[in-house]
Amino acid sequence: MDFQVFTREVSKIKKLPLPGEASHYKMMPAFRQKELDTFITDRQNSRKAAVMALFYSGKAKETHFLLILRKTYEGVHSNQVALPGGKAELSDADLLETALRETKEEVGVRPKDIQVIKPLSKVYIPPSNFEVQPFLGFSEVPLSFVAQESEVAALVEVRLRDLLDDDNVFDQRLNTSYAKNVSVPAFRFNGHTVWGATAMMLSELKELFSQVW
């Protein structure tokens, strides 16, 4: 999709109700559904985080959004593809400030260059006990990304049309830090597998965009 068309039409999403859990379930592994029923109390006491689904003009002025490949480390989200973002700090005024601050730290985009459309539905992640607030935003400023060396292994630039393409949804068997040989619904973008909480957030975005275009 041409980015000028995107910027003209994306404001329609402000008025749409969020699909919420109905869209999340489409990309939720079966074992995650069972975990959510078990960890209701934990969610009430969860740690907070926020991420930014950032759309921008990429190659040939086509609409893209940015994902990051996290570095390998001792943790449940090691080497996973995610939206830019991270945990809330006491100094953050709110979760939007968290998302903007973390996006600046991880990929070098200044908060003033991001126009925020709306918050999306929160996603709870039982293994790490984080409740994550995603935000939808875009930038009309030409962007030059700078990956945070300590946390980001690679930047993954994805075309919006690839998110909307059902052929990029598939099931894959994975070994995770807390489950072995499990089948998960996932997106495939540029050779990367995107699953779990990030796939659930992108599923909601996909449904919202499908109502506009």
Side-chain angles (χ1 to χ4, degrees):
M1 173 181 291
D2 181 84
F3 188 65
Q4 286 189 340
V5 175
F6 176 88
T7 57
R8 186 174 64 245
E9 300 292 327
V10 72
S11 62
K12 295 177 181 179
I13 287 178
K14 287 183 178 181
K15 300 178 181 179
L16 294 178
L18 294 175
E21 291 185 354
S23 60
H24 292 168
Y25 280 133
K26 294 180 180 180
M27 301 301 292
M28 186 184 294
F31 64 86
R32 177 63 55 82
Q33 296 178 30
K34 295 178 181 178
E35 286 177 339
L36 289 176
D37 294 334
T38 304
F39 290 92
I40 293 176
T41 302
D42 288 349
R43 181 169 188 170
Q44 295 172 352
N45 301 302
S46 60
R47 297 179 289 173
K48 308 304 178 186
V51 298
M52 181 64 66
L54 177 60
F55 290 78
Y56 59 94
S57 179
K59 185 180 295 185
K61 298 183 179 180
E62 186 171 3
T63 304
H64 286 64
F65 66 95
L66 185 67
L67 297 171
I68 61 172
L69 174 64
R70 298 205 174 278
K71 286 197 168 183
T72 301
Y73 64 96
E74 292 295 329
V76 296
H77 302 302
S78 171
N79 199 229
Q80 289 185 8
V81 179
L83 291 164
K87 66 179 180 180
E89 302 289 351
L90 291 176
S91 57
D92 295 335
D94 51 30
L95 287 174
L96 175 56
E97 185 172 319
T98 299
L100 292 170
R101 175 183 55 76
E102 285 282 344
T103 300
K104 171 64 168 62
E105 292 175 3
E106 291 190 333
V107 300
V109 179
R110 300 174 299 181
K112 70 177 184 179
D113 291 335
I114 300 175
Q115 299 182 51
V116 179
I117 298 298
K118 67 187 301 180
L120 304 174
S121 300
K122 294 178 181 178
V123 175
Y124 177 59
I125 308 175
S128 57
N129 194 31
F130 268 106
E131 184 177 65
V132 183
Q133 173 66 73
F135 291 90
L136 167 61
F138 69 96
S139 179
E140 295 184 273
V141 177
L143 299 179
S144 180
F145 301 116
V146 180
Q148 184 179 26
E149 291 185 4
S150 60
E151 295 191 19
V152 180
L155 301 175
V156 184
E157 300 187 55
V158 183
R159 299 177 301 185
L160 172 56
R161 59 176 160 140
D162 290 332
L163 173 62
L164 301 178
D165 187 349
D166 290 338
D167 288 341
N168 289 321
V169 178
F170 71 112
D171 288 325
Q172 178 162 318
R173 302 202 75 82
L174 295 173
N175 290 323
T176 75
S177 58
Y178 51 90
K180 303 300 180 184
N181 193 31
V182 290
S183 178
V184 300
F187 291 101
R188 182 185 288 110
F189 299 134
N190 303 348
H192 294 277
T193 297
V194 184
W195 65 284
T198 301
M200 292 160 61
M201 297 172 200
L202 292 179
S203 179
E204 182 170 58
L205 277 173
K206 181 178 179 179
E207 287 205 23
L208 285 171
F209 289 144
S210 296
Q211 294 179 55
V212 176
W213 297 298

